[in-house]
């Protein structure tokens, strides 16, 4: 019976992954530069409430989804998301992520950090620093922070905090 419960939990996470992938696609297709990185926010919300094994699996898949979407460095987003999620797993017992302010601050800071980490990873593996300008990273971090409470709310409603 515990096995069935765990499988139901994984199916819920998978359904959320598909939903967030669709929301990400809609954002990219229709919102132009005024869009959040839904997959990044989803990955970080998942790190807050999922166990590490299942969390890292879907966090990696979220990054890989973006890599398939058309990244300059294949695997760069998957690695970046996993590295940034490590920070969230470290902080999750030390911060109250049910608080909207904590969510906004976390996503704003981690979005900036993710941009820098992705640039560093691209430089290490390709010799070219592939990253947005600092102004574009700030804009992205701002939109990510604005939309973070919505994505966190959805993830928290479907997946209970663990």
């Amino acid at each position: 019976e515990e096995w069935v419960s765990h499988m139901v939990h994984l199916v819920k996470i998978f359904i959320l992954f598909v939903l967030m992938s669709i929301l990400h696609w809609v954002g990219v297709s229709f919102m132009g530069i005024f869009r959040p990185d839904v997959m990044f926010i989803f990955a970080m919300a998942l790190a807050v409430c999922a166990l590490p094994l299942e969390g890292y699996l879907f966090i990696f898949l979220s990054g890989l989804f973006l890599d398939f979407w058309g990244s300059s460095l294949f695997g760069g987003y998957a690695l970046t998301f996993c590295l940034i999620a490590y920070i969230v797993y470290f902080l999750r017992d030390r911060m109250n992520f049910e608080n909207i302010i904590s969510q906004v601050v976390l996503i704003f800071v981690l979005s900036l950090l993710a941009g820098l980490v992705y640039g560093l990873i691209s430089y290490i593996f390709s010799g070219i620093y592939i990253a947005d300008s600092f102004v574009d990273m700030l804009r992205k971090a701002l939109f990510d922070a604005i939309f973070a409470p919505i994505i966190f709310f959805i993830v928290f409603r479907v997946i209970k905090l663990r």
Side-chain angles (χ1 to χ4, degrees):
E1 185 168 304
E2 185 177 324
W3 181 83
V4 172
S5 172
H6 191 66
M7 288 305 296
V8 168
H9 183 72
L10 287 175
V11 168
K12 286 180 182 180
I13 295 174
F14 179 76
I15 291 168
L16 267 178
F17 171 78
V18 171
L19 174 66
M20 295 301 157
S21 300
I22 292 167
L23 286 175
H24 189 88
W25 175 80
V26 168
V28 168
S29 298
F30 301 109
M31 294 177 72
I33 63 168
F34 304 106
R35 66 176 168 79
D37 187 344
V38 173
M39 295 307 288
F40 176 75
I41 302 167
F42 167 67
M44 297 309 109
L46 202 54
V48 168
C49 62
L51 296 173
L53 181 62
E54 62 199 21
Y56 276 121
L57 171 66
F58 284 96
I59 289 164
F60 178 80
L61 290 175
S62 296
L64 201 59
F65 170 80
L66 294 182
D67 289 325
F68 276 115
W69 187 265
S71 137
S72 310
L73 178 68
F74 188 75
Y77 284 114
L79 181 56
T80 299
F81 282 19
C82 287
L83 291 173
I84 300 298
Y86 180 79
I87 295 169
V88 177
Y89 275 112
F90 177 77
L91 293 173
R92 78 180 193 169
D93 293 330
R94 294 163 177 82
M95 291 179 68
N96 177 13
F97 289 112
E98 293 183 47
N99 180 323
I100 291 175
I101 302 297
S102 297
Q103 296 167 8
V104 168
V105 170
L106 175 81
I107 293 300
F108 182 81
V109 170
L110 292 184
S111 182
L112 288 173
L113 184 61
L116 295 172
V117 168
Y118 183 82
L120 182 62
I121 288 171
S122 68
Y123 185 73
I124 290 170
F125 290 107
S126 72
I128 302 168
Y129 185 78
I130 303 169
D132 294 330
S133 69
F134 189 69
V135 171
D136 286 340
M137 281 196 281
L138 279 174
R139 177 191 43 78
K140 179 188 167 305
L142 180 64
F143 285 115
D144 288 353
I146 290 169
F147 281 87
I150 298 166
I151 304 298
F152 271 75
F153 177 78
I154 293 168
V155 171
F156 287 177
R157 291 287 286 185
V158 174
I159 304 170
K160 305 293 185 241
L161 290 175
R162 290 182 171 213

